[in-house]
Amino acid sequence: MRAYVSGVLMLLCASASSYALTPDRALTQYLHRIWQTQQGLPPGTIYAITQTPDGYLWLGTQTGLVRFDGVRFSPAADDIWVRQLEQDAKGNLWIATSDSGLLRMRDGVLSRFSHSNGLPSNAVRCVVPGKDGELWVCTSEGLSRFTGGHFTAFRQAPLARARTGCAAKDGTIWFAGDGPRLTVWKDGRFTSYTLHSMPPFASVRTMLCSSNGDLWIGTSGGLIRLRDAKEKLFSHADGLPDDRIFSLMQDHDGSIWIGTDDGFARLRNGDIESFRSRNGLSQSAVYALFEDSEGAVWAGTKNGLNQFLDGRSIPYTASEGVPSNNTGPVLEDRRGVVWVGTLDAGLARFDGRRFSALGTKDGLASDTVRALGRDGDGSLWVGTSRGLNHLRNGRVVRTYTTASGLPSNDIRSLFRSHNGELLVGTSSGLAVFRGDAFTFPAWLPPHWSSAVRALAEDRDGRLFIATGGGALDVVENGVLREFQQDGAPVRDVDAFFRDKDGFLWMGTIGGGLRLLRNGRVFSYYLHDGLFDNEIYGITADADDRLWMACSKGIFMVPRAELLKRADGLIQRVQSKPYSPMDGLRTIECKSGVQPAAATMRDGRLWFSTTRGLLALDVGRVLHRLSPPPVEIEDILVNGQSEKAGDIAKLPPSERKNLEFHYTGLSFVVPARLTFRYTLEGFDKGWINAGTRREAFYTNLPAGNYRFRVTVCNVDGTCNETGSAVAFSLAPRFYQRKWFVPLCLLAAAIVAWLAYQVRIRRLRAQFELVLAERSRIARELHDTLIQGFSGITMTLQALSARLHRPEDKESLLDIIRDAGSCLKEARRSVAGLRGVHGRDAGLGMAIAAAARQMTETKDIRLKLKLEKDPKGLPAEVEYNLLRIAQEAVSNSVKHSRARSIEVDLHSTAKSLRLLVRDDGEGFLAPAAGARNGHAAAPGHYGLVGMKERATQIGAHFELASEPGRGTSVSVELPVKDL
């Protein structure tokens, strides 16, 4: 664990060296941000600031402990007064509180140590990590050393007054409090040291053990440096903002930062520079100072959190000594001195550290400076609204006006031609300086009085004049003419730039960029990739990139891309605008000043803006920031916060709503970090979240998932590894793999059981039918047949007593008819009793019945009975059998047929029964016959067959014509069985 923490701290230190504040900048030149209650900062004075290895910033306030990620403040412990925050070598965060004891945060869990654990008092004033993992704690009742999980108290009188302390590199621990006496712990014992430079009645508020061995003591009466037993007192008289010192901090550069009751100061190389509330500090009293892993310095006050960091540029305004923020032309002379003209406060000279001003009192013709130019001997020309000044060694040596031959005293542009002549453009024309006076060029037409905005020469020596009226003139071979592009004039040129190849670039007011190359003019507009169509100044850096000052700020385009676009090799160029890191500051460059942009010897680019000067360090502007860390802060399951380890397996009831809260841990441009995330196992790709720091999922199906999030900083550098958390959602019982097969099996079992129940029901019905048939057969046998038998026997006895032949013959006919009826009755009884067995089959039953009815008749019987389908319901078999019997019986009795054909045929789709004879036939029912030969009242054979067919769902068809026989057809769909 210790090795891990050490590695993280080394990484943070390396990061700090890359992004630390540039020490040669003034405090007012750093980018300054403030967070107050309006931005979410909890109320209360900030007494301590630190940063843990995971990248979070921690604030100890009067109202609690707060975690900060650059955008959101998250209270970690409420209702405690935090005095100090300190980290030990194991990565533990120790929190000293005013009345709640000592708190320790380890792996996000807070533990509390109080008087009951051995602390001398719950009023903890300071925490000092020592060597070998020991921890020193200052309390109101004395010192305590925490080792091995136990506190050892030291209650001697001097120790009881300790309110602050620090640990030196050699392991020495220094303590101090009220009075000038210091307590020293070294080699296992306490000694004391008395400060002699400490003012009377002062008390020590804070201490700093610096990296070079110096001990810095902040008191209520100034700052004391103890070096090699020698003391030096710094006070308000030495440049401190105030003598009451509240906080001390050393940055990576070795500078000492001092928080006082009236702002803070930086002590570097013996110089003290201050920053107060009048400079923008959130409040005067600075109780906490801290340098984070990216090199930014944080200051905590009573009324806000302040951050200071290097911007992408260096602003120079009135705060840094520029005479006015209404700046004009900017130029560097041959000695490396930067000259800045203002439009209302004269001329400024910058020697690399400070600005000095020259105005009318110093001999300047006017405080309005619109043009600057260099002379061949290194002197400087200054064009003002009331004349032209010549400066040598920083002093005005001469002033030129209309009395010297100038067309006007309002100087607008200056240019030195290839032959060394100085051309001066004024609001009323152009003049050339020859000898010691100004004359009009010979090629200039008489009374030519146009305002001259800018001047330049191309590599062929042609002079270009941009006029205030918008026209562009050119002097070629001693002749002045209007310059045109493809027959059209070029208008509104405001700036010229001649590159290293001699190509001439022209910036226009609303007309984009022009390039004059080899006699041809190429144009660039917004649709060609240009950032803005209004260009006020053009310059170049050492890597052949063109930088342009425009109405929307500053932008850069590689010159090679512009040339490729002119040659038609590419369709668009890539403009890269300069973007200030605060994201709120707007930049607008200044038009009508010459030059509005310049490249200095040190490689910096200077631009004149509406809010002062802006110096760009190209390397820093184009430098890509390191990928920021990204952290999944919280996971909400149905609104309840869960740790990543606790959601590895979620039960089904907890998968309704999942929220993932994540953040990027960079404080350079925190509000402009952009994120993307994906839920592997659910999302098909990455989701761009922009600056949003939450992801929501609702009603996820069961499965295994992995939530991933990545972050990109403002310049597009991304942390592709990102952060991830894996989890699974258990399925409900109906979502498990076995559920569908089980349901299918259950359905099959239910269907089989239903089939068996139906079969049993049909069999029961069939048994009932058989029982009823047997009962009817018995009744017929016991009543009708017995009665017929008795009547027949009686009639035969009567026939024996008759003597008349005709009577006897008539009675015999009656006996024969009665016998036939009796025979038919017995046959019906035999059918009711089921002459065929249950397993004989429908075909065999039909064959047996047909043979029985035709065996005594002179009728030829043809049987075409295929094997009937298995599993026919008994009801279907019975009704088909009765239809066949009725059809055959009708043919035998009434048709006088010579042959009867019975056909039973089955397919996969249907079962067909056909009974056909070659008898006399009859009129079909549709023709008026009721039922053929049995049409007399009381005969219902045909109706019965139709009813039986309908009962079993079959299609019944009767076909008959007189003299052509009769056919009865029954077709039953097998699928209906």
Side-chain angles (χ1 to χ4, degrees):
M1 176 65 182
R2 177 176 296 181
Y4 166 76
V5 173
S6 300
V8 173
L9 292 176
M10 289 175 63
L11 179 62
L12 294 179
C13 292
S15 178
S17 66
S18 300
Y19 298 102
L21 297 180
T22 304
D24 58 357
R25 293 192 186 185
L27 293 177
T28 54
Q29 290 180 309
Y30 295 126
L31 180 63
H32 178 205
R33 299 191 186 112
I34 300 177
W35 288 268
Q36 295 177 299
T37 53
Q38 297 90 331
Q39 289 79 38
L41 177 68
T45 303
I46 299 174
Y47 286 102
I49 305 173
T50 193
Q51 187 178 29
T52 47
D54 56 13
Y56 284 104
L57 204 69
W58 294 85
L59 311 177
T61 75
Q62 188 177 354
T63 57
L65 179 66
V66 179
R67 188 183 69 179
F68 183 47
D69 65 359
V71 175
R72 297 178 295 202
F73 295 91
S74 305
D78 296 325
D79 299 327
I80 59 172
W81 186 323
V82 178
R83 291 289 188 182
Q84 185 183 351
L85 297 172
E86 197 68 47
Q87 296 182 74
D88 62 18
K90 296 181 179 179
N92 298 315
L93 178 63
W94 295 92
I95 303 113
T97 71
S98 60
D99 55 8
S100 301
L102 179 67
L103 304 180
R104 181 185 64 191
M105 178 173 286
R106 177 187 291 173
D107 298 328
V109 179
L110 277 175
S111 303
R112 181 172 181 264
F113 301 91
S114 63
H115 182 71
S116 61
N117 301 110
L119 269 179
S121 169
N122 286 341
V124 180
R125 295 172 172 174
C126 78
V127 179
V128 183
K131 61 181 181 179
D132 300 327
E134 67 181 9
L135 188 75
W136 291 87
V137 185
C138 312
T139 75
S140 60
E141 299 294 332
L143 284 173
S144 183
R145 184 174 62 174
F146 182 69
T147 56
H150 302 285
F151 289 96
T152 303
F154 301 90
R155 301 178 182 271
Q156 296 91 325
L159 303 178
R161 294 193 295 269
R163 67 169 63 236
T164 184
C166 68
K169 292 173 62 176
D170 61 0
T172 303
I173 311 292
W174 296 83
F175 300 101
D178 297 333
R181 188 174 181 182
L182 305 181
T183 301
V184 185
W185 171 266
K186 187 174 184 180
D187 299 330
R189 64 189 183 91
F190 288 107
T191 58
S192 62
Y193 180 91
T194 302
L195 294 171
H196 301 286
S197 60
M198 186 170 173
F201 308 109
S203 61
V204 178
R205 301 292 184 86
T206 183
M207 299 178 72
L208 171 68
C209 294
S210 66
S211 58
N212 64 356
D214 291 348
L215 177 65
W216 296 86
I217 304 121
T219 76
S220 58
L223 176 66
I224 299 173
R225 183 188 68 193
L226 181 60
R227 176 186 293 175
D228 300 328
K230 296 179 181 180
E231 302 174 26
K232 179 176 176 56
L233 176 65
F234 298 86
S235 66
H236 183 70
D238 299 295
L240 286 179
D242 193 89
D243 287 339
R244 287 165 291 184
I245 313 299
F246 295 142
S247 55
L248 291 169
M249 185 268 293
Q250 183 181 28
D251 66 15
H252 85 288
D253 187 56
S255 301
I256 304 299
W257 297 68
I258 307 109
T260 76
D261 196 38
D262 188 22
F264 67 87
R266 179 178 63 182
L267 175 58
R268 179 175 180 268
N269 298 330
D271 294 331
I272 297 177
E273 184 182 4
S274 300
F275 194 94
R276 298 178 172 89
S277 57
R278 63 173 176 263
N279 301 114
L281 196 64
S282 62
Q283 197 268 341
S284 298
V286 179
Y287 290 97
L289 289 165
F290 179 75
E291 184 182 33
D292 67 16
S293 61
E294 294 172 306
V297 171
W298 299 82
T301 71
K302 287 184 178 180
N303 193 30
L305 177 67
N306 301 261
Q307 182 195 31
F308 298 85
L309 70 161
D310 276 346
R312 295 179 182 268
S313 62
I314 306 174
Y316 292 99
T317 64
S319 299
E320 289 74 41
V322 181
S324 170
N325 287 340
N326 193 12
T327 54
V330 57
L331 185 71
E332 184 181 33
D333 65 18
R334 292 173 61 178
R335 294 177 299 167
V337 176
V338 177
W339 296 88
V340 181
T342 73
L343 300 183
D344 56 9
L347 184 65
R349 179 181 184 272
F350 182 64
D351 61 4
R353 298 187 64 187
R354 295 179 178 85
F355 285 91
S356 56
L358 283 80
T360 54
K361 66 181 187 306
D362 302 300
L364 210 61
S366 169
D367 284 336
T368 300
V369 179
R370 289 197 177 95
L372 293 173
R374 288 186 293 263
D375 204 339
D377 59 2
S379 58
L380 185 71
W381 293 93
V382 181
T384 76
S385 62
R386 294 183 179 178
L388 177 65
N389 292 114
H390 192 191
L391 272 66
R392 196 180 302 276
N393 298 323
R395 297 179 62 184
V396 177
V397 295
R398 189 165 179 181
T399 300
Y400 298 89
T401 63
T402 53
S404 307
L406 287 172
S408 169
N409 288 334
D410 188 5
I411 312 301
R412 299 295 180 87
S413 58
L414 298 167
F415 178 72
R416 180 162 292 280
S417 67
H418 68 282
N419 57 14
E421 292 182 336
L422 177 68
L423 284 83
V424 181
T426 73
S427 61
S428 299
L430 181 68
V432 60
F433 186 67
R434 291 192 179 101
D436 197 32
F438 287 91
T439 62
F440 292 97
W443 41 260
L444 199 64
H447 310 296
W448 192 88
S449 60
S450 297
V452 179
R453 302 173 79 169
L455 296 162
E457 283 183 339
D458 65 7
R459 64 181 179 180
D460 297 325
R462 294 186 299 176
L463 178 66
F464 287 82
I465 306 168
T467 69
L472 178 64
D473 294 336
V474 60
V475 180
E476 187 175 13
N477 298 323
V479 178
L480 177 70
R481 62 177 176 85
E482 186 179 43
F483 183 80
Q484 294 185 346
Q485 172 188 353
D486 298 329
V490 177
R491 307 288 297 177
D492 299 322
V493 174
D494 192 54
F496 290 106
F497 176 74
R498 183 172 166 180
D499 65 22
K500 64 181 182 180
D501 294 324
F503 302 151
L504 191 63
W505 300 85
M506 296 172 272
T508 71
I509 305 296
L513 179 68
R514 300 285 194 276
L515 166 63
L516 176 60
R517 183 183 65 165
N518 301 328
R520 295 188 59 193
V521 178
F522 303 92
S523 301
Y524 306 86
Y525 302 99
L526 289 174
H527 60 77
D528 297 304
L530 218 59
F531 180 64
D532 193 9
N533 274 341
E534 294 191 23
I535 300 173
Y536 308 144
I538 308 172
T539 189
D541 62 21
D543 293 319
D544 203 24
R545 293 177 288 244
L546 295 187
W547 293 79
M548 301 177 211
C550 67
S551 63
K552 296 195 297 185
I554 302 165
F555 69 97
M556 176 273 293
V557 184
R559 191 177 72 107
E561 286 194 19
L562 292 167
L563 297 178
K564 287 181 180 179
R565 177 68 186 94
D567 293 335
L569 300 177
I570 58 175
Q571 295 299 315
R572 287 177 60 86
V573 297
Q574 295 294 323
S575 297
K576 181 177 178 60
Y578 162 73
S579 176
M581 290 197 300
D582 55 11
L584 300 175
R585 181 180 179 187
T586 57
I587 298 174
E588 181 180 356
C589 291
K590 192 70 67 69
S591 65
V593 298
Q594 299 296 332
T599 301
M600 306 307 176
R601 292 181 181 181
D602 61 3
R604 291 182 178 178
L605 311 178
W606 287 59
F607 296 88
S608 181
T609 77
T610 57
R611 298 171 60 183
L613 292 167
L614 207 60
L616 270 59
D617 184 337
V618 175
R620 182 173 288 272
V621 170
L622 300 179
H623 172 72
R624 298 181 70 85
L625 301 172
S626 296
V630 61
E631 186 83 12
I632 298 176
E633 292 185 309
D634 196 15
I635 304 169
L636 299 181
V637 180
N638 291 338
Q640 299 295 320
S641 179
E642 301 285 353
K643 293 183 179 180
D646 295 338
I647 69 162
K649 293 184 178 180
L650 290 175
S653 60
E654 292 188 358
R655 73 166 191 274
K656 262 194 171 179
N657 300 298
L658 273 75
E659 299 179 26
F660 297 90
H661 293 201
Y662 48 84
T663 189
L665 295 171
S666 173
F667 297 96
V668 178
V669 198
R672 295 168 67 184
L673 295 177
T674 56
F675 302 86
R676 64 173 188 161
Y677 64 83
T678 183
L679 185 61
E680 295 177 353
F682 183 77
D683 292 326
K684 294 182 179 179
W686 288 93
I687 297 172
N688 292 318
T691 58
R692 180 165 51 86
R693 302 187 177 210
E694 300 91 11
F696 305 92
Y697 291 92
T698 302
N699 292 328
L700 288 174
N704 297 318
Y705 299 98
R706 186 168 178 255
F707 179 78
R708 292 183 59 199
V709 59
T710 65
V711 61
C712 298
N713 56 32
V714 66
D715 61 9
T717 306
C718 300
N719 181 346
E720 296 293 351
T721 302
S723 184
V725 57
F727 63 96
S728 64
L729 297 177
R732 297 182 185 274
F733 72 92
Y734 54 79
Q735 294 174 321
R736 297 186 181 275
K737 294 181 179 180
W738 47 261
F739 181 76
V740 172
L742 182 62
C743 289
L744 294 176
L745 178 61
I749 293 174
V750 169
W752 182 79
L753 291 175
Y755 174 76
Q756 294 298 321
V757 169
R758 187 165 184 267
I759 292 299
R760 291 184 180 181
R761 184 178 300 167
L762 291 176
R763 285 179 178 174
Q765 292 176 352
F766 186 67
E767 295 293 338
L768 290 175
V769 171
L770 290 179
E772 182 64 16
R773 290 170 61 190
S774 298
R775 185 190 66 78
I776 294 174
R778 288 193 300 271
E779 293 294 331
L780 289 175
H781 181 272
D782 293 340
T783 57
L784 182 61
I785 293 178
Q786 293 298 329
F788 264 103
S789 297
I791 291 171
T792 301
M793 293 176 62
T794 302
L795 290 175
Q796 288 176 348
L798 179 61
S799 173
R801 292 197 296 269
L802 291 178
H803 299 287
R804 293 179 59 187
E806 58 273 17
D807 294 336
K808 190 173 183 178
E809 185 62 28
S810 297
L811 186 57
L812 288 176
D813 290 337
I814 294 172
I815 291 172
R816 283 194 294 271
D817 290 339
S820 297
C821 290
L822 182 59
K823 188 176 181 181
E824 287 294 328
R826 286 196 175 99
R827 186 162 46 243
S828 296
V829 170
L832 286 174
R833 291 187 177 275
V835 294
H836 59 285
R838 178 177 297 178
D839 299 327
L842 177 62
M844 294 181 63
I846 292 175
R851 290 189 184 102
Q852 185 177 2
M853 286 185 285
T854 59
E855 63 182 356
T856 59
K857 305 295 184 180
D858 187 17
I859 297 175
R860 182 181 172 189
L861 180 64
K862 298 180 182 179
L863 298 176
K864 297 181 180 180
L865 305 175
E866 296 182 2
K867 188 175 182 181
D868 50 292
K870 293 183 179 180
L872 285 177
E875 180 183 5
V876 172
E877 289 186 352
Y878 175 74
N879 284 287
L880 289 175
L881 175 61
R882 285 293 170 243
I883 292 173
Q885 286 179 334
E886 183 67 27
V888 173
S889 176
N890 287 340
S891 295
V892 170
K893 292 181 178 180
H894 310 296
S895 69
R896 299 181 182 178
R898 293 185 298 277
S899 65
I900 298 175
E901 180 181 349
V902 180
D903 187 355
L904 181 64
H905 175 71
S906 65
T907 65
K909 295 182 178 181
S910 63
L911 176 67
R912 188 167 181 267
L913 173 65
L914 176 65
V915 178
R916 181 167 51 196
D917 63 45
D918 57 357
E920 297 177 351
F922 60 92
L923 290 176
R930 187 162 187 172
N931 58 349
H933 296 282
H939 296 267
Y940 300 99
L942 182 58
V943 174
M945 285 190 289
K946 288 182 179 180
E947 289 178 350
R948 290 181 184 277
T950 302
Q951 184 177 352
I952 62 175
H955 175 68
F956 178 83
E957 184 177 353
L958 173 68
S960 180
E961 291 184 15
R964 294 190 177 183
T966 302
S967 66
V968 174
S969 174
V970 178
E971 187 168 0
L972 176 68
V974 174
K975 63 179 182 178
D976 293 337
L977 301 181

